[in-house]
C-alpha cells in the first residue's frame, strides 16, 4: 500500500500489534528495542536496531534507516526527535516531537489542556518537601493525588495522599521524582476514547469505552461504555477537542473520569495506541493499530471503519496478566479457546506476576452475552461479572 518504511521507537506489545497491522498492508516496519522484543519476534528484518528508545544515538540510527518515525511509547528521547526534525526535513515524525515532549511531562500536559479549555482535575506543581505537600492538603483537601510528572505508567509514580499523616511516606515513595499534585476526582466510572488525528488535522474517534483499573492496571474494557448515549457523545467530543490541540498525525488514547454529577474530566492522553483500544482489533473493521499506520502515512480512513462492525454491538477486552506462579495465566487463555466470540492475543513475553502477557477480546450482539462469555473465560460460569 505504500513504499515508505516506518521506524517504531519501542517494540513491546503495542509495537507488535502495529507491525501486525502494517504487515497486512505490505508496509515495512523497523523496530528499535532490545533484541527479540515482542515486535521483532514477528517481523524478520536486517534493519532492526538493538538498543533503547531513550538513547539518542540509537534513535538516530533508526532514523537513518526509515522514511517515517513513530512511537509505541511516550518515554522516548524527545530532544533527539526535535533535533532530527530540524536536521532531516525529509524524515516525517508522527506524532510531532513537540507533542511527545509535552505529553511526556504529565504536569505540562495538564497545564496545556487546561489552558485550551479542556476540563481536567485542578493540578499544581509541588516541591518535594513536607511543607509544600501540607500546603496542597490545605488547598485541595484530602485525599489528593501526588503524581510523578515523568516516566509514569500503570500507576507507578502515583501516591494517594489520604491525610497529612501520609505525607512522609508519600515523599519517601516518590522522593527522587519531579512531582505535581492533582485534586481528587471522585469518579463513578473511568472512560476512554481512541482518537485518530489525520495529517490535515482532522480528528475521528472510536466509541467511548469504560475501563476498569485493578491495582492501577487496566484489567477490563467494556465497549461501548455502559452509560447513556448522551454521555458517550460528550466524552467523545471532549476527547476529540483535546487531541485536536496537539500536532502530528496518529492515534491517541484519551483517559477520562465520569463524575457522579455527570461531569467528565480528562485524566491523561497517550500519544500512541492504548490498552483501552485493543478491542478494536476484533470489533471494528479498522483497528486502532491500522488507523495509526494509515494516519502516519496519510492513507485514507473511513469513519465507518472505526465503529463496531455489524452484527457486533458490544465487546469486552480482558487483559491477561502474569499470575503468581509461572504461566498460571494460561488457564484463562485455554478457556478462551473454547468460548464463542473470543479471540486470544499473546505478546511473546516471559511470564512475571502482574505483567501484561496478552489480552482476550470478546465480541457479541449484546453486553449480556459478552458478560456471560467473560464469566466462562474467568472460570465463574455461574456468575455474571459486572
Ligand atoms: P497509565 O498506565 O494509564 O499511563 P499512569 O501511571 O500514567 O497510568 P494515571 O492514569 O495518572 O497513571 O492514574 C492511574 C489511575 O489512578 C487512574 O486510572 C485512576 O484510577 C487513578 N487516578 C488518577 N488520577 C486521579 C485523580 N486525580 N483522582 C482520583 N483517581 C485518580
Ligand atoms: Mg500514563
Ligand atoms: Mg493512565
Amino acid at each position: 500500500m505504500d513504499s515508505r518504511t516506518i521506524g517504531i521507537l519501542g517494540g513491546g506489545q503495542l509495537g507488535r500489534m502495529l507491525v501486525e497491522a502494517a504487515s497486512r498492508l505490505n508496509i515495512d516496519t523497523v523496530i528499535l528495542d532490545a533484541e527479540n522484543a515482542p515486535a521483532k519476534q514477528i517481523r524478520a528484518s536486517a534493519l532492526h536496531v538493538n538498543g533503547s528508545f531513550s538513547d539518542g544515538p540509537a534513535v538516530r540510527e533508526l532514523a537513518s534507516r526509515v522514511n517515517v518515525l513513530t512511537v509505541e511509547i511516550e518515554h522516548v528521547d524527545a530532544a533527539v526527535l526535535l533535533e532530527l526534525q530540524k536536521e532531516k526535513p525529509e524524515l516525517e515524525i508522527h506524532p510531532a516531537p513537540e507533542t511527545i515532549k509535552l505529553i511526556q511531562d504529565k504536569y505540562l500536559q495538564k497545564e496545556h489542556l487546561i489552558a485550551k479549555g479542556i476540563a481536567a482535575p485542578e493540578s499544581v506543581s509541588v516541591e518535594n518537601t513536607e511543607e509544600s505537600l501540607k500546603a496542597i492538603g490545605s488547598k485541595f483537601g484530602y485525599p489528593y493525588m501526588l503524581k510523578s510528572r515523568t516516566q509514569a505508567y500503570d500507576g507507578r509514580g502515583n501516591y494517594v495522599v489520604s491525610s497529612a499523616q501520609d505525607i512522609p511516606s508519600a515523599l519517601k515513595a516518590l522522593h527522587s521524582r519531579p512531582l505535581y499534585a492533582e485534586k481528587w476526582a471522585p469518579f463513578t466510572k473511568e472512560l476512554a476514547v481512541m482518537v485518530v488525528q489525520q495529517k490535515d488535522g482532522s480528528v475521528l474517534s472510536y466509541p467511548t469505552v469504560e475501563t476498569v483499573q485493578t491495582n492501577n492496571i487496566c484489567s477490563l474494557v467494556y465497549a461501548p461504555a455502559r452509560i447513556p448515549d448522551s454521555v458517550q457523545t460528550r466524552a467523545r467530543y471532549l476527547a476529540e477537542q483535546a487531541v485536536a490541540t496537539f500536532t502530528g498525525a496518529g492515534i491517541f488514547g484519551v483517559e477520562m473520569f465520569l463524575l457522579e454529577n455527570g461531569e467528565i474530566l480528562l485524566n491523561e492522553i497517550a500519544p500512541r495506541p492504548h490498552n483501552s483500544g485493543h478491542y478494536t482489533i476484533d470489533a471494528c473493521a479498522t483497528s486502532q493499530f491500522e488507523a495509526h499506520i494509515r494516519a502516519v502515512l496519510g492513507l485514507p480512513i473511513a469513519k465507518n471503519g472505526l465503529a463496531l462492525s455489524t452484527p457486533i454491538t458490544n465487546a469486552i477486552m480482558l487483559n491477561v496478566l502474569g499470575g503468581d506462579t509461572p504461566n498460571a495465566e494460561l488457564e484463562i487463555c485455554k478457556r478462551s479457546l473454547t468460548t464463542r466470540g473470543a479471540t486470544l492475543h499473546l505478546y511473546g513475553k516471559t511470564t512475571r506476576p502482574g505483567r501484561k502477557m496478552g489480552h482476550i477480546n470478546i465480541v457479541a450482539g449484546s453486553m449480556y452475552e459478552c458478560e456471560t462469555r467473560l464469566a466462562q473465560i474467568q472460570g465463574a460460569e455461574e456468575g455474571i461479572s459486572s
Side-chain angles (χ1 to χ4, degrees):
M1 286 304 301
D2 201 289
S3 59
R4 286 170 293 173
T5 298
I6 302 177
I8 306 174
L9 277 72
Q13 67 266 21
L14 301 177
R16 178 172 167 121
M17 291 184 272
L18 283 170
V19 167
E20 277 176 358
S23 299
R24 213 163 26 74
L25 301 181
N26 282 352
I27 291 165
D28 258 339
T29 44
V30 179
I31 308 296
L32 162 59
D33 208 332
E35 203 172 351
N36 206 36
K40 290 183 179 177
Q41 295 167 14
I42 61 161
R43 182 150 189 92
S45 170
L47 296 180
H48 288 324
V49 182
N50 290 332
S52 166
F53 41 77
S54 56
D55 174 42
V59 174
R60 285 181 170 278
E61 185 56 41
L62 178 71
S64 72
R65 301 178 183 193
V66 301
N67 310 104
V68 180
L69 269 189
T70 192
V71 300
E72 63 123 39
I73 182 165
E74 59 274 32
H75 307 305
V76 299
D77 188 334
V80 164
L81 293 180
L82 285 161
E83 287 167 19
L84 283 167
Q85 191 175 41
K86 287 207 190 86
E87 292 164 24
K88 293 183 160 217
E90 72 285 3
L91 175 73
E92 288 200 53
I93 308 178
H94 289 292
E98 53 268 29
T99 296
I100 297 169
K101 190 170 160 31
L102 189 56
I103 285 181
Q104 64 184 200
D105 182 325
K106 288 168 77 171
Y107 179 60
L108 294 184
Q109 180 196 141
K110 277 264 159 50
E111 276 199 315
H112 163 87
L113 290 166
I114 291 169
K116 296 285 181 184
I118 304 294
E122 199 182 327
S123 300
V124 288
S125 85
V126 296
E127 310 269 316
N128 296 31
T129 63
E130 289 196 18
E131 300 71 60
S132 178
L133 296 196
K134 275 190 187 137
I136 301 299
S138 312
K139 184 178 162 72
F140 284 169
Y142 296 95
Y144 69 83
M145 190 63 107
L146 190 62
K147 292 192 180 184
S148 173
R149 292 170 60 144
T150 57
Q151 301 292 330
Y153 69 99
D154 290 345
R156 296 178 206 201
N158 285 2
Y159 199 101
V160 179
V161 184
S162 305
S163 69
Q165 284 81 55
D166 263 0
I167 288 175
S169 36
L171 277 174
K172 199 169 165 213
L174 299 176
H175 71 280
S176 57
R177 311 185 64 171
L179 302 178
Y180 78 104
E182 260 182 47
K183 202 166 184 173
W184 191 252
F187 59 82
T188 53
K189 281 187 191 296
E190 290 193 75
L191 307 177
V193 173
M194 298 306 306
V195 177
V196 57
Q197 178 149 262
Q198 293 175 289
K199 280 188 171 180
D200 64 3
S202 61
V203 288
L204 297 172
S205 60
Y206 284 91
T208 300
V209 303
E210 181 183 336
T211 65
V212 179
Q213 276 46 247
T214 311
N215 300 325
N216 284 302
I217 299 180
C218 175
S219 51
L220 283 165
V221 171
Y222 293 83
R226 298 166 299 177
I227 53 174
D229 285 0
S230 60
V231 184
Q232 288 183 26
T233 305
R234 281 196 290 120
R236 272 174 85 160
Y237 183 71
L238 182 71
E240 288 181 8
Q241 296 281 103
V243 169
T245 69
F246 294 103
T247 51
I251 194 97
F252 292 75
V254 183
E255 301 176 10
M256 288 162 282
F257 300 127
L258 174 62
L259 307 189
E260 200 151 10
N261 64 5
E263 204 182 336
I264 301 172
L265 300 179
L266 196 143
N267 174 27
E268 63 166 347
I269 296 188
R272 52 165 170 81
H274 190 258
N275 204 162
S276 70
H278 290 356
Y279 76 94
T280 62
I281 303 176
D282 296 298
C284 305
T286 308
S287 74
Q288 62 161 341
F289 301 99
E290 183 169 344
H292 183 72
I293 297 291
R294 292 202 214 177
V296 301
L297 291 177
L299 295 173
I301 299 171
K303 194 172 177 184
N304 176 271
L306 311 190
L308 296 175
S309 303
T310 318
I312 297 167
T313 57
N314 299 81
I316 291 180
M317 189 245 22
L318 171 67
N319 260 354
V320 176
L321 302 177
D324 289 338
T325 54
N327 297 323
E329 69 277 8
L330 293 179
E331 278 308 306
I332 60 167
C333 295
K334 279 185 200 141
R335 284 194 291 268
S336 78
L337 299 183
T338 52
T339 303
R340 278 182 67 197
T343 310
L344 173 64
H345 300 258
L346 289 174
Y347 306 150
K349 290 159 70 169
T350 312
T351 182
R352 217 170 44 212
R355 193 173 198 201
K356 288 178 181 167
M357 303 301 295
H359 70 270
I360 297 164
N361 286 336
I362 305 163
V363 299
S366 73
M367 192 57 94
Y368 179 82
E369 195 52 43
C370 285
E371 288 178 340
T372 308
R373 294 173 187 184
L374 171 67
Q376 184 183 330
I377 290 169
Q378 289 178 319
E381 280 89 345
E382 69 285 1
I384 293 169
S385 69
S386 61

